Structure formats: structure tokens, C-alpha cells
Amino acid sequence: MILVTGATGAVGREVAGLLAARGPVRILARRPERVTVRGPEVDVVTGEYGDRGSLDRALRGVEAVFLVTNSPTEPDDERVAAAAAAADVRHLVKLSMMAVEEPGADDFITRLQRGNEQAVRESGVPWTFVRPRTFMSNTLSWAKGITSDGVVRALYGDSPVACVDPRDVAAVAVAALTGTGHEGQAYAVSGPEAIAAREQAAHLSELLGRPLRFEELPLDRAREALLTKYPVPVAEAFLESAERQRAGAKAAVVPTVEELTGRPARTFRTWAADHADSFGGPGRAG
């Protein structure tokens, strides 16, 4: 039995789906009604990281855990790792981020994830860290502007990033969860190319069959937009991350997807074609 957390998110949903196609999987969800992966082999358990009783119930009989956390204030990695150790879990695969291994990254979110990784290491549970670059699915935030007025608005339109399809991140995680020899490994995961926002917008324009205008946001407007959604430390972390991207720190491509799955990582164009319906296009099954 493998326990999946974060199963309503971009990667966790895909991990749960891939595992459910192979055999039994258990999902821990604070809001189980939002879980879309269902079936006779899927056991959805209601619970949350701050409730040790629900963690213990979810971990009963579990051999491996896929862990996703996102709270900027709660020690959720420590909580899950401690409960996993008490339950004699044999392997914990944590979704982290590529920036933790980069000395030049020192924003709030990166420091937080470094601390989270350390909590997992100190728990004594054998671990694997999956460290993806920026998700291609982050561009879904453009959907409203595209459908309403044909405009893509983003900060630093010409800064490249080797963004990755969440499905490929999930495939790497599943390889670690179901394979052997992955304990103690940290896998950086990128897409197959470095691509800038302006280029992504051009691909979307071609796939949707209509012109899209790219509008580069000034820094103050980007900060204002972020502050409507996130606390100040998180918003500032995103802006610091964008500066690193503009300096070229996120352009490196790594071969992890092909090495662990046996197939190349998907391009942004492939991801966009599979999700064109989210931007008002015809789309295709992904």
C-alpha cells in the first residue's frame, strides 16, 4: 500500500492516478470530495497533517508515502515524517523544488523547503526527494486574460526556464515509489528545453488559432498582483525567484525524466496542446 498526499494538486493527482492503475493506493485528503481519482483500488481517507490521529489511521499498513506540503507556517513535513517513522514506513518520497540545491537561491520558499527536507532526513525514514523546476501548468494563470481579451500578462517575458510537465514529475515520483535503489537520492526534474513566457504565449496562439498579445508586467504591478493572493514573504519569494530566472539560473535542462521513465520529457507545446481547452481552445485528451 502506498499513501498519496496532495492528491488534489497538479502532481499529487497524477501520482495517485498512475498508482491506481497499477494496484491499491490510499489517499489522505482534508476535503475528500475534491479527490478525482476513484476506483475499487482507491481508498480515500479524511484527515490532515495537524491531526496525528488521522495521520496514524492513514499510515496503517502503508509501505511508502508520497508527500506534498505547502504551508508557509506549519511544520507539516516534520509531522508526517514523525508519524511515518512510528508506523514503520519503508520509504518517503517528498516533492521538493530544484532551487534547494542551488546556492544562489535564498528566498523564503526555498529556505522553507530546505528545512522541510532536513526534517525528513532526520526522521530516520528512508527518503527520496523529487525536485522539479517550475511547472508548465503555472501558465494556467493566464487563462482568464487569454479568454477575456486575448492577452498574456507576465513578468520578464524573455527570461528562459526549463519548465516541466507535472505529469512527468509524477512519473518520476512513481518510479521512485515503486522501484528499487532510490532511497537517499535527490532527483532534479526539468523539461526538455528552456522556454520564455513570450515563446509560451506564441505556442498558445498557434494552438488556439487566434492572435495573442504579450504584455510584460512592470515589477510594481506584478508585486501588487501577487500580494492579492499571497502573504508578503511568499510574494517576495516569487519575485526573487523571477529575478533568478531572468539571470538565467533556471535554464538548465536535466535528463532525469528519460533516465527514470525511459521516455523523453514532454515539451511545453505538448502540454499546451493537451490543455488547450483550459485556454478556450478545442484541446485534446492528455
Side-chain angles (χ1 to χ4, degrees):
M1 177 65 75
I2 297 176
L3 175 68
V4 176
T5 71
T8 59
V11 175
R13 181 186 304 111
E14 299 293 338
V15 169
L18 290 171
L19 290 173
R22 301 170 62 110
V25 61
R26 183 175 296 156
I27 294 172
L28 175 69
R30 185 171 60 87
R31 296 178 58 186
E33 71 277 5
R34 295 180 57 194
V35 175
T36 57
V37 177
R38 300 286 178 171
E41 299 269 49
V42 179
D43 178 24
V44 181
V45 177
T46 303
E48 52 188 284
Y49 299 141
D51 178 358
R52 178 59 184 264
S54 67
L55 277 180
D56 290 340
R57 288 191 295 274
L59 287 164
R60 192 170 297 126
V62 164
E63 292 193 359
V65 175
F66 178 64
L67 177 60
V68 181
T69 60
N70 53 31
S71 172
T73 57
E74 296 294 322
D76 290 333
D77 290 81
E78 183 177 344
R79 288 165 170 164
V80 176
D88 293 323
V89 168
R90 297 179 183 179
H91 193 190
L92 194 157
V93 176
K94 171 180 166 52
L95 183 68
S96 185
M97 58 191 295
M98 201 185 293
V100 300
E101 62 185 358
E102 298 169 348
D106 194 40
D107 60 85
F108 171 77
I109 296 174
T110 303
R111 294 196 306 272
L112 183 68
Q113 282 289 23
R114 286 189 183 120
N116 291 341
E117 285 192 2
Q118 188 60 29
V120 170
R121 286 191 186 93
E122 292 174 353
S123 71
V125 180
W127 52 265
T128 302
F129 299 138
V130 177
R131 296 169 170 169
R133 188 53 87 196
T134 306
F135 296 155
M136 293 174 181
S137 56
N138 288 357
T139 59
L140 289 170
S141 64
W142 299 345
K144 184 176 179 181
I146 287 173
T147 56
S148 63
D149 53 10
V151 177
V152 171
R153 297 177 177 88
L155 182 65
Y156 305 145
D158 297 306
S159 62
V161 58
C163 54
V164 62
D165 190 322
R167 295 174 295 185
D168 289 337
V169 180
V172 168
V174 169
L177 286 162
T178 60
T180 59
H182 300 289
E183 293 83 353
Q185 300 296 316
Y187 294 120
V189 188
S190 80
E193 60 187 348
I195 185 170
R198 199 182 302 273
E199 296 172 272
Q200 292 172 320
H203 281 301
L204 284 168
S205 177
E206 292 177 10
L207 291 165
L208 297 174
R210 63 179 186 271
L212 298 178
R213 180 169 59 87
F214 185 86
E215 179 183 308
E216 184 163 294
L217 288 175
L219 183 59
D220 58 344
R221 281 186 58 194
R223 177 179 282 108
E224 182 181 342
L226 287 167
L227 287 172
T228 64
K229 301 177 183 177
Y230 303 105
V232 172
V234 175
E236 291 298 330
F238 285 136
L239 293 175
E240 289 179 48
S241 178
E243 293 294 340
R244 290 184 60 247
Q245 181 173 321
R246 185 167 67 153
K250 299 186 180 185
V253 171
V254 294
T256 308
V257 173
E258 187 160 11
E259 290 175 349
L260 267 69
T261 71
R263 58 163 180 77
R266 295 175 176 91
T267 64
F268 176 78
R269 190 178 181 90
T270 296
W271 177 89
D274 290 342
H275 296 83
D277 57 335
S278 298
F279 298 95
R284 70 174 188 232

